[in-house]
Every structure is written in structure tokens, then in C-alpha cells.
Amino acid sequence: MKLKCFIVTFLSLVSTTVMLLLIGHLFSIPWLMFHLEYINNSNGFIISTGSFVPLIIGLIVSFFAEKIYVNKYRQKFD
């Protein structure tokens, strides 16, 4: 049960995040795109990242997917 629950949660996280990132890059939606910029100069370095909104939405979806899976599993064996 725990392994299947982990697989459902992890796959929903990965699939949702990847789908949102692909949609962001396909339609050029900045808050759904991840952009990483790294510049290394002799004076120092600059690091710039992009939006983490797809990851946050993926975490929310995976949380609800886990809750739904656990509830259906419990109803099946009650």
C-alpha cells in the first residue's frame, strides 16, 4: 500500500509539473516557464531562476491525489 501510494503521489507530481512547464514553454507563459541563468564573471557570479508555480501546483495536485487514493483504498477494504 505504501509503495503504491508513493508511486501515485510521485507520478502525479512529476506529470503535473512537466505538463505545466511544457504548456508554459509552448505558449510562452512566463509564470509557467522555468528559466535558469548563470553568469560567472571575474568579479563574481549571478544566478537567476524562473517560476516555481508549476512545482507548487504539482505539489498541491499530488497532495490531493494521495488523499483520494488513500480514501478509495480504505473504502475498498472496509
Side-chain angles (χ1 to χ4, degrees):
M1 156 69 179
K2 290 186 180 187
L3 179 63
K4 288 183 181 179
C5 186
F6 172 75
I7 291 172
V8 167
T9 305
F10 184 72
L11 286 178
S12 64
L13 170 68
V14 170
S15 62
T16 304
T17 304
V18 167
M19 181 184 65
L20 289 173
L21 287 171
L22 287 175
I23 289 171
H25 283 283
L26 184 64
F27 296 111
S28 297
I29 303 171
W31 57 276
L32 288 180
M33 295 173 66
F34 185 78
H35 175 75
L36 176 68
E37 180 180 339
Y38 172 77
I39 299 173
N40 187 0
N41 292 334
S42 61
N43 296 334
F45 61 95
I46 298 171
I47 297 176
S48 174
T49 62
S51 176
F52 286 103
V53 173
L55 181 62
I56 293 170
I57 293 173
L59 287 171
I60 293 169
V61 168
S62 68
F63 173 76
F64 286 115
E66 178 185 11
K67 294 297 179 187
I68 291 169
Y69 181 79
V70 168
N71 285 338
K72 288 192 179 208
Y73 183 81
R74 286 184 184 159
Q75 288 176 357
K76 184 178 178 180
F77 289 106
D78 280 343

